[in-house]
Amino acid sequence: MTSDVAASLAAGAAQAAKAVATLSTAEKNTVLQAFADKIRLATPAILAENRAEVAEAAANGTSAAMLDRLTLNEQRIESMAAAIEQIIQLPDPVGQSRFIEQRPNGIKISKRRIPLGVICMIYEARPNVTADAGALCFKAGNAVILRCGREAIKTSLAIASAMRQALTEHQLPPEVLTIVPDPDRNLLLALLKQEEYIDLVIPRGGEGLIRFVTEQSRIPVIQHFKGVCHLYVDKAADPAMALKLLLNGKVQRPGVCNALEGLLVHQAVAADFLPLAAQALAEHQVKVHACQRSLPYFNGASPIADDEFGQEYLAPEIAVRVVDDLAAALAHIDQFGSQHTEVICTADQAAADRFLASVDTAVVMHNASSRFSDGGELGLGAEIGISTSKLHAYGPMGLEALTTEKFVVQGEGQTRS
């Protein structure tokens, strides 16, 4: 029965978590290097599985954005291994302690960072998550259960096999990194009921997957429904800078969650900036959905109604709107944004400060590309995911977000009267 299989997988991971929780930083880093080395050695096997899965996905009509996430090559596998080596260089959060206070009775109170325990990662056509999540969870002292989508299951199994071999060679239980071998949805449902063993669920994928997991889980879930990111070009923006931010945010890799999906332009600069934007976007074959005020500046743009904004295109498409002022831009983002990443381009520090303080989002940028909303770019190393919910993490999640704190009380025999 699927419930028995799920319970067995979860119980095994919970037992294995005890072994990794007490490892020293040096011991964990040694195993992490072995992860990277084994993945490099397994490159031919990983690519063989991946080519077959990409071909099958393409034949089934999978979208270009999904195919891009699914596809591996030698460079991407090397990047996967290099990301693990970057995690080695990151400070180990486990065991970090911060003093809080000494009470009048003499007891000393501090908080010490500890692993969460067992993390369940659920993802679709993203085989790189197998390595990223496995390495990050391990460095943070956790065991991880990886449930990959059907499109990338064989590729992910090949990556996980290499990492589990490293665990075995270092006398650690392979259940530290467990990959669910069957993508059957009933098994996923059963896993989401294993609150006795699993401490946190992190889904990565489309909005439908996130909502399904959130609705079905008995376990706390980190939510990341979608990435509807905006660039607001203020009346005090440098046009050349704004154009750079627009193109980098939209064109460099349009199929990722930190790509721009909306462009908001202050009415005072619309007549000067939008012709520049129209020419640049046309050169990069970006489809434009334009409001009535911006429509005249674009050739072949599709009109968009006021209630049709907020789409995550994950493609060379963007929605454009002229707004009256900064307040209108903030109101638009409040209505249509997804609390992922928002950008303001302006030379007016007062406007920037108001935007930075007021916009409701996990990551906010001033004169910087939305593409920096990434764990690696923000100094976290490979990220486990991006949270657009505020408990217990918000934004790109690195090592610290995979730990929690416990109170440590030190005394000299004090008792409470």
Side-chain angles (χ1 to χ4, degrees):
M1 294 177 62
T2 54
S3 58
D4 293 336
V5 173
S8 177
L9 291 173
Q15 186 63 35
K18 297 176 182 178
V20 68
T22 57
L23 294 176
S24 69
T25 301
E27 289 170 325
K28 288 188 286 189
N29 286 343
T30 297
V31 176
L32 285 166
Q33 185 61 61
F35 283 169
D37 295 342
K38 293 294 185 183
I39 286 173
R40 289 188 175 103
L41 288 173
T43 295
I46 294 169
L47 287 178
E49 298 288 9
N50 186 249
R51 291 189 190 103
E53 289 188 316
V54 170
E56 182 177 355
N60 291 335
T62 302
S63 69
M66 188 73 81
L67 284 175
D68 177 58
R69 292 176 177 180
L70 173 60
T71 302
L72 294 180
N73 52 37
E74 289 189 2
Q75 181 179 1
R76 287 188 175 184
I77 293 177
E78 173 55 34
S79 295
M80 202 185 297
I84 295 175
E85 290 174 332
Q86 291 173 6
I87 294 171
I88 294 173
Q89 304 304 318
L90 295 174
D92 186 352
V94 178
Q96 291 182 1
S97 184
R98 59 187 178 97
F99 178 74
I100 297 178
E101 66 172 318
Q102 183 169 348
R103 301 292 296 160
N105 62 2
I107 62 171
K108 297 176 181 178
I109 303 170
S110 61
K111 296 193 81 174
R112 184 175 300 165
R113 197 157 285 282
I114 60 172
L116 286 172
V118 177
I119 313 296
C120 180
M121 284 291 305
I122 301 168
Y123 51 106
E124 295 172 327
R126 302 166 183 255
N128 64 294
V129 174
T130 306
D132 290 349
L136 278 167
C137 289
F138 181 81
K139 177 86 179 218
N142 302 293
V144 63
I145 298 173
L146 301 164
R147 192 275 187 183
C148 179
R150 192 177 305 276
E151 309 87 356
I153 184 65
K154 293 180 181 178
T155 305
S156 296
L157 282 167
I159 296 168
S161 177
M163 299 173 75
R164 284 165 65 93
Q165 184 179 349
L167 289 168
T168 301
E169 290 181 3
H170 287 83
Q171 290 76 52
L172 289 169
E175 292 81 8
V176 166
L177 192 155
T178 298
I179 189 158
V180 181
D182 187 347
D184 178 69
R185 178 156 284 199
N186 288 327
L187 182 53
L188 170 58
L189 284 169
L191 273 174
L192 295 175
K193 305 296 186 285
Q194 302 302 317
E195 71 271 23
E196 180 181 354
Y197 302 114
I198 300 173
D199 297 281
L200 183 68
V201 176
I202 305 177
R204 288 184 64 173
E207 185 175 359
L209 172 69
I210 312 300
R211 292 200 181 278
F212 174 82
V213 171
T214 302
E215 291 167 1
Q216 298 297 325
S217 181
R218 292 181 188 166
I219 306 160
V221 177
I222 291 292
Q223 299 172 358
H224 170 197
F225 287 117
K226 54 186 176 180
V228 181
C229 308
H230 299 86
L231 166 64
Y232 166 58
V233 180
D234 186 50
K235 64 181 179 180
D238 177 335
M241 179 188 295
L243 196 61
K244 284 173 57 180
L245 298 180
L246 171 62
L247 292 180
N248 186 248
K250 179 70 266 185
V251 174
Q252 187 202 35
R253 198 175 175 193
V256 294
C257 62
N258 59 15
L260 290 175
E261 305 290 19
L263 170 65
L264 306 174
V265 181
H266 194 292
Q267 62 178 349
V269 296
D272 294 325
F273 180 73
L274 283 178
L276 300 175
Q279 180 180 349
L281 292 172
E283 289 174 355
H284 289 87
Q285 299 180 315
V286 176
K287 182 178 180 179
V288 174
H289 305 269
C291 72
Q292 289 300 317
R293 296 167 74 181
S294 61
L295 196 60
Y297 296 100
F298 297 91
N299 291 322
S302 301
I304 184 171
D306 288 348
D307 61 352
E308 293 177 339
F309 289 95
Q311 299 299 310
E312 185 181 36
Y313 299 111
L314 296 175
E317 295 185 52
I318 195 166
V320 180
R321 189 175 198 177
V322 174
V323 294
D324 291 340
D325 50 25
L326 173 57
L330 289 168
H332 177 100
I333 292 169
D334 187 53
Q335 181 176 0
F336 298 108
S338 63
Q339 296 179 293
H340 189 297
T341 301
E342 304 296 344
V343 182
I344 182 173
C345 182
T346 186
D348 182 346
Q349 190 60 50
D353 289 343
R354 180 180 174 190
F355 189 89
L356 297 176
S358 302
V359 71
D360 187 11
T361 187
V363 181
V364 59
M365 308 280 191
H366 175 207
N367 293 343
S369 170
S370 66
R371 293 283 288 118
F372 287 112
S373 184
D374 170 87
E377 296 294 337
L378 296 179
L380 304 179
E383 70 190 23
I384 196 77
I386 296 178
S387 172
T388 56
S389 54
K390 297 178 182 178
L391 295 176
H392 73 286
Y394 200 29
M397 296 173 60
L399 286 173
E400 187 173 294
L402 294 173
T403 63
T404 187
E405 289 182 311
K406 66 180 177 183
F407 280 95
V408 177
V409 178
Q410 295 177 312
E412 298 176 341
Q414 291 92 331
T415 59
R416 182 175 176 177
S417 58

